[in-house]
Amino acid sequence: MKRFPLSVFALGLLLFTFTSFTPPQKKDPPEKRIEDLLAKMTLEEKVGQLNFVVGDLFNTGPTVRTAQSDKFNEAIKNGQITGIFNIHGAEYIGKLQRMAVKESRLGIPLLIGADIIHGFKTIFPIPLGESASWDLAAIENGARVAALESSAGGINLTFAPMVDITRDSRWGRTAEGAGEDPYLGSLIAAARVKGFQGKDLADPRTIAACVKHFVAYGAAEAGRDYNTTDMSEYLLRDVYLPPFKAALDAGSATLMTSFNELNGVPATGNMFILQQILRKEWGFTGTVISDWQNITEMVQHGYSKDHAQAAEQALQAGTDVDMMGEAYLKFVPGLVRSGKLDQKILDESVRRVLWLKFKLGLFDNPYRYSDSKREKREIRSRENLAVAFDMARKSIVLLKNQGNALPLSASTKKIAVIGPLGNNKADMNGTWSFFGEEQHAVSFLEGIRKYAKGAQVTFAQGCDLYSNSTAGFAEAVTAARNADVVIMALGESAVMNGEGASRADIGLPGVQLDLVKEIHKTGKPIVALVSSGRALELTWLDQHIPAILATWSLGSEAGNAAASVLWGEYNPAGKLPLSFPRHVGQLPLYYNHKNTGRMYEGDHSEPGSERVYKSRYRDVPNTPLYPFGYGLSYTTFAYGAPTLSKSSITGAETLTVTVEVTNTGKVPGEEVVQLYIQDLVGSTARPVKQLKKFQKLAFAPGEKKTVTFTLNAADLAFWRQDMTFGAEPGDFKVMVGGNSRDVQALPFTLTSL
Ligand code: GLC
């Protein structure tokens, strides 16, 4: 046998040490374990850690992939996949983790992502509905339940919360956010992150959050999804960025870039937002994940000449992970080898992904999120459904209740439920709820039958959601004629809002309004349950229907929650998180608008109004049909005159605002007492109103509460003309009320900073 000199043997030993990897020792700190791992990774293995692909259960974008294909499994074993999303099942995911950890050279576990937007198997109201509760604790609790269930099902990362501010309900993804206000949206964003992540990401009952879509996606021109967004830096920083900052301050482990081009540069390759703002100003050290094929779509945007350049631009800008584009997989090794891309940039992104996996505890126990026993116990547990029921009731907004048509009397004997959403389970869960089995959702009819003790409850669909057929009208009219009260279940299906679901007409879809008019002709009292993922145009209903409830998509407990409110078991306290227009032509419409030089406050009734040269439409008032922050109750609340602790403050002082609120009705109720400010003069023109504080309070019948708020200079800060953030001395108004329209105002001055 040929004898090798000692030096060759030593070299062999050295090579063997480097190539046959031993996983990082658990006792080492993550930093060291990451560096050890990084030092051993090939270029291809590094890039593999930046490649996120969809599994085989759902596709949420334009391409479909099967997770069970051999090609897919080979990619896992070759370390070419860092994570798989929109799959679930403790056992199935355990199998995939074992494949990654035991059969790949480096044994790096997988991220398992999913769109857990408003619940996993127990489905909560869509986020827009939850936001109408203005109940931050309930919202956090809902996210906690979603994390409990999904983590039991093997998931360790959710692509939520979606925090895109939107002012235009033609945009279908209005459904997924918290409406039009950055202050409310910021508080809700933080609550959701805390609910998902809990106190420790390594806790197997929590999941990593991914705040999305960064940034200004909700400002898509004309409300058309994926459309161009273009705005001043003032508007970006004052309105669209704050909820992201709040989510990151609450600890969101990851962030997702958005589809849109922002001021000429696609978000995914946008150095200003990803480097200047996110990394430099905010100091975010977490992982940035692109949205579906956002990197390769930079070619369609006309920003990258090919996928290789897109990969280079996106990685340079700081998008760490490529979702479904495979641009990094295909082109980054070549870009690094050719010297076009500095390996340090690649290493930084890989480091952030490995950090995330360490924080999730995946290196210490890759199977911690695959717990079949907990999965069986946790999913759709009675406790979880009770949380969803509570959240659904809190989400409902009473828009109209003429003559106290509601709550329904227990003596109501004959009820007709009419409309395409009346006996409907499939649409109750709403958009982004594909893990929830629709057969488990409680329909409105089921809930009404449960609560209408002893009453005869009939159902007639009347029409469907999509066609223009009126063939069902006659049956519905007959059902109405034979009833004492009619409950109409109207609105959008689960796919009429959400992604890719912008609408130019935001009225009731199909022939639903014609159906309402036919039922209205019977003269029977009508209660309308209006389900939607946006503000709909409800002008005719408001003029003719005595009772209207906004029921969004209420989720698993929809029917029970609606019936609980209809019969007054729960007194509705929801407040609108966005303005409802009189006409779609008013959009974009939002309460925190500027005054302009010629604001029109009239209603076109004054003589000669047609010659009034003011900022208005000649055919529609400027005001919304239902304003931001609006919602009625089965009781009434009276607001005393607010008082201020002083008429002026310096930048170091606090102003206390006090107002007495009384429940002047006969039943207990909750009120969201809201405080707005107006900065009368600014180095950039300021909005006529901005929400700055609110308190949701419970009142017994006749109970009076003294409500106090404190304000200081920080509450008055904005992005000034010199692009610094802070308040400016001057005159202000503070306004208090139960919505953004019906407020009482008092002046005060900020005398100095
Ligand atoms: C979709 C959505 C995004 C979602 C992702 C993964 O295109 O824009 O919100 O998280 O793909 O499903």
Side-chain angles (χ1 to χ4, degrees):
M1 182 184 79
K2 186 165 183 272
R3 296 182 62 77
F4 287 101
L6 193 58
S7 57
V8 172
F9 178 72
L11 181 65
L13 185 64
L14 201 64
L15 272 176
F16 174 77
T17 310
F18 273 105
T19 53
S20 58
F21 170 69
T22 47
Q25 300 311 308
K26 286 192 180 176
K27 63 182 181 309
D28 293 336
E31 296 82 353
K32 181 178 181 321
R33 292 164 75 180
I34 287 172
E35 293 314 314
D36 289 349
L37 206 44
L38 211 52
K40 295 180 179 74
M41 294 172 89
T42 64
L43 200 45
E44 280 67 19
E45 286 166 334
K46 289 181 180 178
V47 173
Q49 285 304 306
L50 309 185
N51 186 39
F52 213 151
V53 295
V54 73
D56 64 330
L57 288 187
F58 313 103
N59 70 76
T60 47
T63 55
V64 182
R65 186 187 188 90
T66 52
Q68 264 85 8
S69 69
D70 288 347
K71 175 170 161 285
F72 196 86
N73 296 343
E74 279 317 301
I76 292 174
K77 292 171 192 170
N78 296 334
Q80 292 192 306
I81 289 178
T82 190
I84 303 163
F85 64 95
N86 289 342
I87 55 174
H88 70 97
E91 195 180 331
Y92 169 52
I93 287 170
K95 185 166 74 73
L96 293 174
Q97 287 289 18
R98 249 184 304 283
M99 197 187 295
V101 171
K102 302 286 186 204
E103 298 182 51
S104 75
R105 190 175 79 85
L106 297 171
I108 299 175
L110 297 165
L111 292 173
I112 304 294
D115 289 289
I116 313 291
I117 311 298
H118 53 109
F120 178 59
K121 293 287 184 181
T122 298
I123 302 298
F124 285 74
I126 51 172
L128 188 65
E130 286 189 327
S131 303
S133 72
W134 294 49
D135 186 329
L136 302 176
I139 290 169
E140 179 174 340
N141 203 24
R144 183 187 61 77
V145 168
L148 276 175
E149 289 196 348
S150 54
S151 59
I155 290 157
N156 52 51
L157 163 69
T158 179
F159 301 130
M162 185 276 217
V163 302
D164 303 312
I165 294 291
T166 179
R167 300 170 149 181
D168 189 330
S169 272
R170 288 173 293 182
W171 192 51
R173 302 198 77 167
T174 302
E176 303 169 46
E180 71 191 42
D181 182 69
Y183 176 77
L184 178 64
S186 297
L187 293 174
I188 289 173
R192 288 199 168 114
V193 168
K194 290 177 198 152
F196 288 134
Q197 298 194 164
K199 299 224 178 327
D200 174 8
L201 270 189
D203 179 338
R205 296 162 305 163
T206 66
I207 52 179
C210 179
V211 61
K212 70 185 185 183
H213 306 83
F214 196 66
V215 66
Y217 180 31
E221 277 179 6
R224 204 177 76 229
D225 208 352
Y226 315 119
N227 203 3
T228 303
T229 64
D230 205 288
M231 64 179 68
S232 71
E233 191 177 331
Y234 298 114
L235 182 61
L236 181 69
R237 288 182 179 274
D238 268 337
V239 173
Y240 293 92
L241 283 170
F244 286 91
K245 182 71 168 57
L248 296 179
D249 288 348
S252 180
T254 70
L255 170 142
M256 182 186 291
T257 61
S258 55
F259 288 108
N260 55 293
E261 163 215 313
L262 175 63
N263 299 342
V265 180
T268 303
N270 194 309
M271 297 287 267
F272 176 64
I273 59 172
L274 293 174
Q275 288 298 324
Q276 172 58 32
I277 292 179
L278 187 64
R279 299 290 186 196
K280 291 196 179 73
E281 291 179 24
W282 294 356
F284 180 57
T285 56
T287 306
V288 173
I289 302 169
S290 84
D291 200 342
W292 188 290
Q293 293 181 340
N294 272 359
I295 294 170
T296 46
E297 284 180 5
M298 289 185 354
V299 172
Q300 283 94 315
H301 275 289
Y303 183 74
S304 308
K305 68 175 187 305
D306 55 29
H307 288 178
Q309 190 187 33
E312 180 192 348
Q313 290 166 320
L315 204 55
Q316 291 270 17
T319 294
D320 298 317
V321 174
D322 175 358
M323 178 189 283
M324 284 307 290
E326 297 195 337
Y328 286 0
L329 203 64
K330 288 178 189 145
F331 299 104
V332 168
L335 288 166
V336 170
R337 288 196 174 97
S338 67
K340 287 189 85 172
L341 191 68
D342 184 339
Q343 169 135 336
K344 289 196 188 73
I345 291 175
L346 169 62
D347 287 354
E348 260 317 290
S349 290
V350 177
R351 226 175 242 113
R352 289 193 279 257
V353 172
L354 295 176
W355 247 116
L356 176 61
K357 294 182 176 181
F358 269 103
K359 277 193 280 194
L360 285 165
L362 290 170
F363 277 100
D364 294 332
N365 172 6
Y367 314 110
R368 63 197 307 122
Y369 295 91
S370 302
D371 179 343
S372 302
K373 286 200 191 69
R374 191 165 77 80
E375 186 178 37
K376 288 192 184 65
R377 194 175 62 242
E378 194 66 74
I379 283 179
R380 293 180 46 75
S381 70
R382 213 194 10 246
E383 296 77 11
N384 294 351
L385 287 169
V387 176
F389 172 66
D390 176 57
M391 188 75 241
R393 296 195 303 183
K394 288 177 172 171
S395 302
I396 293 172
V397 182
L398 180 58
L399 298 175
K400 186 178 174 188
N401 192 19
Q402 189 177 11
N404 292 324
L406 289 176
L408 295 175
S409 151
S411 62
T412 306
K413 285 292 166 249
K414 290 189 283 184
I415 298 167
V417 177
I418 294 173
L421 290 173
N423 185 21
N424 177 321
K425 289 173 173 285
D427 294 305
M428 292 301 105
N429 286 344
T431 186
W432 288 108
S433 60
F434 34 57
F435 293 105
E437 286 106 337
E438 61 195 41
Q439 70 274 19
H440 293 306
V442 179
S443 70
F444 288 131
L445 182 60
E446 286 170 331
I448 289 164
R449 283 197 160 131
K450 189 193 288 185
Y451 276 77
K453 297 179 185 60
Q456 176 204 54
V457 179
T458 59
F459 171 70
Q461 183 167 297
C463 67
D464 63 37
L465 287 159
Y466 298 93
S467 81
N468 291 333
S469 164
T470 60
F473 281 22
E475 180 203 13
V477 168
T478 303
R481 288 211 175 99
N482 294 330
D484 301 328
V485 68
V486 176
I487 300 172
M488 295 198 79
L490 308 159
E492 295 181 320
S493 72
V495 295
M496 285 178 176
N497 52 72
E499 185 174 355
S502 294
R503 292 175 63 202
D505 172 353
I506 58 170
L508 289 171
V511 294
Q512 293 182 61
L513 185 55
D514 299 328
L515 175 65
V516 177
K517 291 177 178 176
E518 285 307 308
I519 302 301
H520 179 256
K521 286 175 189 167
T522 68
K524 296 288 181 177
I526 297 173
V527 175
L529 304 178
V530 181
S531 298
S532 67
R534 51 167 48 93
L536 293 180
E537 186 267 279
L538 300 176
T539 302
W540 192 91
L541 262 68
D542 182 63
Q543 291 163 348
H544 299 87
I545 303 302
I548 304 171
L549 290 156
T551 49
W552 315 111
S553 303
L554 289 175
S556 302
E557 288 291 301
N560 292 332
S564 175
V565 167
L566 286 168
W567 269 273
E569 177 188 67
Y570 180 78
N571 182 359
K575 300 283 186 177
L576 292 179
L578 77 175
S579 309
F580 273 53
R582 300 173 187 280
H583 189 286
V584 68
Q586 290 180 275
L587 298 180
L589 179 70
Y590 46 99
Y591 85 94
N592 47 356
H593 59 78
K594 304 297 184 71
N595 199 50
T596 78
R598 296 187 172 195
M599 180 46 74
Y600 179 64
E601 308 285 3
D603 60 2
H604 306 279
S605 60
E606 68 272 28
S609 69
E610 69 286 347
R611 303 307 301 166
V612 170
Y613 293 99
K614 292 275 187 177
S615 177
R616 60 169 192 157
Y617 308 97
R618 290 213 177 158
D619 49 353
V620 177
N622 284 351
T623 53
L625 180 66
Y626 305 118
F628 172 80
Y630 173 83
L632 299 174
S633 169
Y634 292 152
T635 188
T636 48
F637 295 97
Y639 282 71
T643 57
L644 304 183
S645 56
K646 46 183 84 171
S647 59
S648 66
I649 57 170
T650 66
E653 292 176 323
T654 297
L655 180 71
T656 302
V657 185
T658 305
V659 61
E660 286 197 340
V661 182
T662 307
N663 174 351
T664 48
K666 297 184 173 53
V667 295
E670 292 165 290
E671 173 67 332
V672 180
V673 183
Q674 301 158 43
L675 181 144
Y676 298 84
I677 63 124
Q678 180 183 10
D679 186 345
L680 298 177
V681 177
S683 58
T684 58
R686 311 303 310 133
V688 296
K689 211 167 279 175
Q690 291 174 282
L691 178 71
K692 289 295 180 183
K693 307 279 178 188
F694 64 85
Q695 291 180 39
K696 183 168 188 176
L697 301 167
F699 292 79
E703 184 177 9
K704 176 186 292 188
K705 286 191 173 178
T706 301
V707 186
T708 59
F709 298 98
T710 56
L711 277 177
N712 56 36
D715 296 309
L716 311 176
F718 65 99
W719 286 88
R720 298 171 291 205
Q721 193 178 107
D722 62 2
M723 210 37 81
T724 60
F725 185 68
E728 289 176 348
D731 294 332
F732 291 78
K733 266 199 291 188
V734 61
M735 295 157 270
V736 181
N739 63 69
S740 61
R741 177 190 64 201
D742 309 318
V743 291
Q744 297 178 81
L746 283 175
F748 74 93
T749 303
L750 177 66
T751 55
S752 62
L753 286 183

